[in-house]
C-alpha cells in the first residue's frame, strides 16, 4: 500500500516541472469523460423516462374496457365464496364486439366454473384487439423512473468505458516513453567517476 500525503484538489492541473504533455492530456480526458458521462446519463435517462411515461399515458387514454361474453363454460367448479382469489381463476374463451362493429375473441382469466355467456371485462385497443389493463399513473411513474434509470446508467457507461480505454492507451504510451528514456539515461547512472 502506497503512502499518500494530504489530498490535493485539482492536482492534475497544478504546475509541476515533471509534468509531461501526456499528463496534461490525461487531465483533460478525465474532465471531458466525466462531463460526458454525466450529460449522457442524464439525457438518456430523462429522454427514455419521458417516452415511457408518455406511451403509458397514451395507453390509458386509448385502451377501453368492453363487456365480453364467455363462449364456453369455464373449467373447474364455482366456489361458494364471493371473493375469488387469483389461484381460483382459469383461462376461458370469450367473444366481444369492438367499437367499430368487428367481432373478436380471446382467452381471459375468469372465475372457475363461470357459465357460458357470463359477462367479463376485456380491455381493448382502438382496433378492438385484446390488451392488458393499462397501468395507473403512479405505476407508470415508477415504471418510467426505473426504465429511465437503467437507460441513464447504460448511456453513462458508453463515455465512461470509452474514456477508460483512452486512458489505458495514454498510460501504455507513457510507459513506452519512460522505457525509451530509461534505456537512454539508465546506463549513465551506473558509471563512476574516477
Amino acid at each position: 500500500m502506497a503512502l499518500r500525503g494530504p489530498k490535493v484538489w485539482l492536482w492534475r492541473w497544478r504546475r509541476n516541472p515533471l509534468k509531461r504533455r501526456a499528463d496534461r492530456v490525461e487531465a483533460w480526458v478525465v474532465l471531458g469523460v466525466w462531463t460526458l458521462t454525466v450529460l449522457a446519463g442524464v439525457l438518456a435517462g430523462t429522454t427514455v423516462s419521458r417516452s415511457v411515461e408518455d406511451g403509458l399515458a397514451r395507453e390509458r387514454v386509448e385502451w377501453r374496457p368492453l363487456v365480453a361474453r364467455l363462449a364456453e363454460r369455464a373449467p373447474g367448479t364455482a366456489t361458494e365464496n364471493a371473493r375469488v382469489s387469483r389461484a381460483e381463476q382459469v383461462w376461458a374463451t370469450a367473444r366481444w364486439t369492438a367499437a367499430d362493429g368487428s367481432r373478436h375473441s380471446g382467452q381471459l382469466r375468469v372465475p372457475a366454473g363461470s357459465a357460458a355467456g357470463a359477462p367479463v371485462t376485456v380491455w381493448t385497443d382502438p382496433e378492438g384487439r385484446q390488451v392488458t389493463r393499462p397501468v395507473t399513473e403512479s405505476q407508470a411513474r415508477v415504471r418510467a423512473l426505473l426504465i429511465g434509470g437503467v437507460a441513464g446508467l447504460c448511456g453513462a457507461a458508453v463515455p465512461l468505458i470509452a474514456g477508460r480505454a483512452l486512458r489505458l492507451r495514454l498510460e501504455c504510451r507513457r510507459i513506452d516513453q519512460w522505457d525509451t528514456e530509461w534505456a537512454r539515461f539508465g546506463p549513465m547512472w551506473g558509471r563512476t567517476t574516477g
Side-chain angles (χ1 to χ4, degrees):
M1 184 169 138
L3 297 175
R4 296 181 182 205
K7 188 167 180 97
V8 178
W9 293 99
L10 302 174
W11 61 270
R12 292 181 186 271
W13 288 275
R14 291 181 62 172
R15 290 189 180 269
N16 185 340
L18 299 177
K19 189 186 287 187
R20 299 171 187 225
R21 181 176 179 264
D23 297 326
R24 287 189 297 274
V25 169
E26 183 180 10
W28 287 106
V29 165
V30 168
L31 180 65
V33 164
W34 280 109
T35 302
L36 284 174
T37 297
V38 170
L39 289 176
V42 169
L43 185 64
T46 55
T47 302
V48 169
S49 180
R50 285 181 186 158
S51 175
V52 168
E53 200 159 3
D54 290 346
L56 294 174
R58 190 172 43 255
E59 288 176 359
R60 279 193 306 279
V61 170
E62 293 176 355
W63 292 359
R64 294 283 173 235
L66 292 177
V67 176
R69 300 283 176 183
L70 288 181
E72 58 192 20
R73 183 179 184 282
T77 58
T79 59
E80 294 159 9
N81 189 351
R83 295 185 333 174
V84 178
S85 70
R86 201 82 170 134
E88 296 169 330
Q89 291 194 350
V90 295
W91 289 100
T93 303
R95 292 192 177 95
W96 63 91
T97 304
D100 63 359
S102 61
R103 300 186 62 75
H104 299 274
S105 67
Q107 293 284 317
L108 299 174
R109 299 278 294 181
V110 297
S114 296
V120 291
T121 302
V122 60
W123 285 85
T124 61
D125 65 5
E127 287 79 34
R129 294 182 302 242
Q130 182 180 359
V131 294
T132 60
R133 177 187 298 260
V135 296
T136 64
E137 275 189 62
S138 60
Q139 291 171 332
R141 193 172 305 114
V142 169
R143 188 177 293 181
L145 286 173
L146 290 174
I147 294 171
V150 170
L153 289 174
C154 292
V158 172
L160 196 62
I161 292 169
R164 184 66 183 150
L166 182 58
R167 285 186 64 202
L168 284 173
R169 183 155 170 81
L170 288 171
E171 182 71 21
C172 289
R173 198 164 163 208
R174 185 171 37 241
I175 295 292
D176 290 343
Q177 288 173 347
W178 284 348
D179 285 344
T180 303
E181 290 177 13
W182 182 257
R184 197 169 84 196
F185 293 110
M188 289 193 279
W189 287 2
R191 295 187 187 160
T192 57
T193 55

